[in-house]
Amino acid sequence: MTDTTARLPGDPTAQAAVARMIRVDHAGEYAAVRIYQGQLATLRARGKADLLRHMLAQEQHHLATFDGLIADRRVRPTALLPVWHLAGFALGALTAALGERSAMACTVAVEETIDAHYQKQIAALDSAEPGLRATLSKFRDEELEHRDSGLAHGAEQAPAYRLLRAVIKTGCRAAIALSERI
Ligand SMILES: [Fe+2]
Ligand SMILES: [Fe+2]
């Protein structure tokens, strides 16, 4: 994110930067909902289902918040939502099919990436956006809880944990870059 501190509130460039943030965060939360739905579709009757339902409910709240911001601020959503609809669900379902610990490894990889992403956005937002900053901080805390839940439920014991985590993180970063632009 570029430095916005030299700009005045209401400056079109600053507005465009905030619109880009809302677009990509909306896309990310949309994908997060789909990932947890995919994991639940596979692990519905298993021991981790309650944890997955809890995380899914929080992601649905995050998405609803960004749905509201998209509408209030007339931000164009990413054109890639249909892609994230399928890719998010597939990522969740496939990692869950590898086992509960692989599903948790997916959670760790995704939430670590989102944590870094939100951290960068919070640092880039100036005092003109206190509400958005507070929202991002709260959501970031919840994403960190999800990461910690993944670690507490055996993510690191997943087969090929380091490789799986690296591949998913690379994919998430690519998805972020695309959703900011398209
Ligand atoms: Fe989220
Ligand atoms: Fe999350």
Side-chain angles (χ1 to χ4, degrees), residues 2-3 10-11 18 23 29 39 41 53 67 86 102 128 150 161:
T2 49
D3 179 18
D11 183 301
V18 170
R23 177 178 307 119
E29 298 297 353
Q39 292 190 341
R53 273 187 211 101
D67 275 333
L86 295 175
S102 298
Y161 169 69

Side-chain angles (χ1 to χ4, degrees), residues 2 12 21 25 31 56 65-66 81 84 105 110 119 138 164 167:
T2 49
M21 281 188 194
D25 294 353
L56 172 60
T65 303
F66 280 105
L81 284 184
W84 306 146
V110 170
Q119 225 176 308
K138 177 174 180 284
L164 185 64
V167 167

Side-chain angles (χ1 to χ4, degrees), residues 6-174:
R7 298 190 197 112
L8 295 169
D11 183 301
T13 315
Q15 266 181 20
V18 170
R20 218 162 87 136
M21 281 188 194
I22 292 171
R23 177 178 307 119
V24 65
D25 294 353
H26 175 258
E29 298 297 353
Y30 184 93
V33 166
R34 292 296 289 162
I35 290 169
Y36 288 113
Q37 284 176 341
Q39 292 190 341
L40 264 170
T42 306
L43 296 173
R44 193 166 293 282
R46 303 284 289 277
K48 302 286 187 267
D50 283 346
L51 171 64
L52 294 174
R53 273 187 211 101
H54 168 71
M55 295 195 286
L56 172 60
Q58 285 183 318
E59 302 300 358
Q60 282 167 330
H61 171 66
H62 297 174
L63 175 59
T65 303
F66 280 105
D67 275 333
L69 284 165
I70 285 261
D72 291 349
R73 299 186 185 220
R74 298 167 200 276
V75 173
R76 176 184 61 76
T78 174
L80 296 170
L81 284 184
V83 179
W84 306 146
H85 187 83
L86 295 175
F89 191 89
L91 177 63
L94 286 172
T95 51
L98 295 172
E100 287 182 352
R101 290 174 302 182
S102 298
M104 295 296 144
C106 172
T107 293
V108 170
V110 170
E111 303 291 7
E112 275 181 357
T113 311
I114 301 305
D115 165 46
H117 169 75
Y118 275 151
Q119 225 176 308
K120 229 196 289 179
Q121 286 191 339
I122 291 163
L125 276 175
D126 57 25
S127 52
E129 290 284 356
L132 184 57
R133 257 186 106 135
T135 297
L136 296 185
S137 296
K138 177 174 180 284
F139 290 0
R140 182 186 161 227
D141 288 345
E142 290 174 355
E143 312 302 8
L144 287 172
E145 282 173 30
H146 299 169
R147 179 205 62 190
D148 291 345
S149 294
L151 290 170
H153 288 86
E156 290 161 304
Q157 281 81 54
Y161 169 69
R162 290 165 64 90
L163 176 65
L164 185 64
R165 174 166 161 266
V167 167
I168 294 172
K169 287 183 84 159
T170 301
C172 287
R173 284 192 289 258

